[in-house]
Amino acid sequence: MSGIRRRLRAAVTAFLHRLAPRTLRGRLSLVALTTAALLMLVLTVAFNAVAQHRLQHQADDELRTRAAAVATTIDTSRRTVRVLETSHDALLDTNVWIYAGRRLLEEPPNAGSLTRVADALAERGGRRCVTADVDGPLRLCSQPVSADGSGALVVTALDLSPYRSSADTLLMGSLALDVVMLACTYALTRLAVGRALRPVRTMTDQATQWSAVASEERFGSMRHPVELARLGTSLDAILNRIRTLLRHERQLTGELSHELRTPLSRIIAELDWWQTRPRTAGQTHATHKVIAEAAQSMRTICDTLLDDARGGTLTAPGTAEVLPALRRLIELPEVPGHLTVTADGPQVEAGVPSALLERIISPLLTNACRYARSKVAVRAYRAPDGVRVEVIDDGPGVPLPFSGQLFEPGQRADPGDGHGGAGLGLPLARRLARSAGGEVTYDPGHTPGARFVVSLPAG
């Protein structure tokens, strides 16, 4: 039995759920309709209650007026109460009972069982009114003739059918008005809510068309109501965060491809050389060693860049001897043979891992070798606040108007100068240095050539 009840309850719940509006416009319209229906119900009940009370009061006034008119035909000046005969008394005698004390003096013809109701009122005495249903709704009121103790009493009756008909007409009219008002309320609410939600639809269409990265348009630049303006501000902030994240992802992808290009080129060159001619066992071993070192370099590059991208700070702090790391860099085969590349300085330690130190210096050294005419010098030394590494070349230097954009991703002073590059090396070097608490700067006063300075914490 409990299973049947559960299934029945689930079926009713599912049915009500299907009936519930699925749109915000429909739900708000339903709430407005329900609220208006409850208000109309209360007003209709109150109005009809007041109307019925008012109609009954009018009936009682008419009965008392008729009783006062009948009282003028009753003589109570003597010891015996007498009813005086007047012209047109037949009109006054309609539904009228006259009593002397409890004794009935006069009653209307064909009163029948209604006389018993009048007798009951006469026995109770005073001014009283009752409603009786004898061959239709009737109202009876008793009225003493005088206050001199004669005991004369007049009871009058009135048919309430016209009053009940008026009350029913008022009730039907108020219900019809309620239906019209509810229909108008629902229609106007749907229209108003639809117009109010039109900016939301517009914002939705605009957000669908916009590109989070390429588009500069935002909701805050448009005129909206206060509530939608606040929503637009929140959406603008979300779009800006998405745009920043996507740009950061693109930058990370570009930096990875930029840094991985060199070891990958070494692997491809070694494989091509190994396949073009027979190799001895020693040469094969050397090739394997070069490929392993390049693969390890690629792994180190990926780990370093991903660690920086996750948190912006080093996840594996350490120290590195600067001069051996610099000498490893200048001994790479990517350094052109026509250049003299030197690395000198005292034995100093930087407070960064060796792999990160190489990733910071490598783009600067590659850039210097790309533009130098005859020599590149790399020098390390101690400073009061840490360690400095200078990378100096005798090339044309950086154009002065471009120095402000030097560390912006994707920017190059002369994209058509015949040199490769995506404009990511210098921004990557600065970002990695800052993640370790250091900095990379350019010295515009150094001539001829270019001078970059890497500042790092001491180990």
Side-chain angles (χ1 to χ4, degrees):
M1 194 69 179
S2 60
I4 296 176
R5 285 199 297 267
R6 283 196 299 270
R7 288 194 294 270
L8 181 61
R9 188 182 302 112
V12 172
T13 303
F15 177 73
L16 293 177
H17 180 71
R18 285 195 296 268
L19 289 180
R22 298 182 181 273
T23 63
L24 179 60
R25 180 182 183 183
R27 292 180 181 180
L28 291 177
S29 301
L30 183 60
V31 169
L33 181 65
T34 304
T35 305
L38 293 176
L39 181 61
M40 291 293 181
L41 177 62
V42 172
L43 292 177
T44 300
V45 171
F47 171 75
N48 284 274
V50 172
Q52 289 184 359
H53 179 74
R54 182 61 182 170
L55 290 173
Q56 181 174 302
H57 185 69
Q58 290 179 357
D60 292 346
D61 288 344
E62 184 174 347
L63 288 172
R64 291 191 177 96
T65 301
R66 184 181 299 179
V70 173
T72 58
T73 66
I74 301 174
D75 183 10
T76 58
S77 61
R78 299 179 183 181
R79 299 182 65 181
T80 302
V81 177
R82 293 185 311 117
V83 179
L84 304 178
E85 297 295 333
T86 61
S87 61
H88 308 294
D89 56 357
L91 183 61
L92 293 176
D93 291 341
T94 304
N95 291 335
V96 173
W97 291 262
I98 301 176
Y99 293 87
R102 294 185 178 181
R103 184 169 58 90
L104 179 61
L105 298 180
E106 187 173 327
E107 65 176 329
N110 302 323
S113 59
L114 194 58
T115 301
R116 290 195 296 270
V117 181
D119 292 343
L121 277 176
E123 288 180 2
R124 297 171 65 182
R127 298 181 59 180
R128 299 179 186 278
C129 292
V130 296
T131 301
D133 193 357
V134 180
D135 298 331
L138 296 171
R139 184 74 171 172
L140 291 86
C141 288
S142 61
Q143 176 76 29
V145 175
S146 62
D148 57 1
S150 61
L153 187 73
V154 176
V155 177
T156 55
L158 181 65
D159 185 7
L160 292 180
S161 297
Y163 296 92
R164 294 285 178 87
S165 178
S166 299
D168 293 342
T169 302
L170 289 174
L171 177 61
M172 295 303 296
S174 60
L175 292 178
L177 180 62
D178 290 347
V179 171
V180 173
M181 291 296 294
L182 290 177
C184 293
T185 300
Y186 183 76
L188 292 177
T189 302
R190 285 188 64 87
L191 179 62
V193 173
R195 292 180 63 87
L197 294 178
R198 190 176 300 169
V200 178
R201 291 195 298 270
T202 303
M203 294 171 66
T204 304
D205 296 338
Q206 291 170 343
T208 304
Q209 297 171 0
W210 291 348
S211 168
V213 177
S215 178
E216 295 289 342
E217 296 183 84
R218 291 296 182 262
F219 296 113
S221 61
M222 306 173 186
R223 296 186 62 183
H224 291 301
V226 177
E227 296 83 358
L228 293 183
R230 294 177 60 185
L231 175 62
T233 302
S234 301
L235 293 177
D236 289 345
I238 295 174
L239 287 175
N240 290 332
R241 286 197 294 270
I242 293 175
R243 183 176 187 177
T244 302
L245 291 174
L246 292 177
R247 284 182 172 177
H248 186 70
E249 180 183 354
R250 288 185 175 183
Q251 181 180 352
L252 176 62
T253 303
E255 290 170 349
L256 281 172
S257 63
H258 179 272
E259 289 295 303
L260 293 176
R261 185 182 296 112
T262 298
L264 187 60
S265 299
R266 291 179 60 191
I267 294 175
I268 295 174
E270 290 292 332
L271 289 175
D272 290 342
W273 188 28
W274 184 76
Q275 292 175 351
T276 54
R277 66 184 67 183
R279 308 296 295 274
T280 64
Q283 290 174 336
T284 301
H285 179 72
T287 298
H288 289 169
K289 183 178 179 181
V290 171
I291 293 176
E293 289 177 352
Q296 181 61 36
S297 176
M298 293 174 67
R299 180 177 180 179
T300 303
I301 290 170
C302 292
D303 292 341
T304 302
L305 292 179
L306 290 176
D307 286 342
D308 175 69
R310 289 189 186 104
T313 57
L314 291 176
T315 57
T319 60
E321 292 187 1
V322 178
L323 194 57
L326 298 181
R327 287 172 178 168
R328 284 196 299 272
L329 289 175
I330 67 174
E331 290 173 359
L332 293 176
E334 287 77 15
V335 176
H338 70 282
L339 292 180
T340 301
V341 183
T342 59
D344 60 1
Q347 293 293 333
V348 294
E349 287 189 348
V352 296
S354 178
L356 181 61
L357 176 62
E358 293 182 13
R359 298 277 63 76
I360 295 173
I361 303 300
S362 179
L364 303 178
L365 182 59
T366 301
N367 207 53
C369 292
R370 181 179 297 157
Y371 293 101
R373 293 189 176 93
S374 60
K375 64 179 180 178
V376 175
V378 184
R379 188 169 69 91
Y381 57 92
R382 293 185 179 88
D385 56 348
V387 176
R388 298 282 188 275
V389 178
E390 294 181 350
V391 180
I392 305 172
D393 65 77
D394 61 349
V398 178
L400 188 60
F402 183 74
S403 59
Q405 308 174 37
L406 189 59
F407 293 97
E408 293 183 8
Q411 299 294 326
R412 294 187 59 193
D414 184 9
D417 57 4
H419 296 286
L424 297 174
L426 296 180
L428 173 62
R430 169 174 278 186
R431 184 157 66 88
L432 293 178
R434 287 180 175 178
S435 71
E439 182 61 277
V440 176
T441 58
Y442 167 70
D443 181 10
H446 181 271
T447 54
R451 175 175 177 264
F452 290 90
V453 180
V454 179
S455 304
L456 294 172

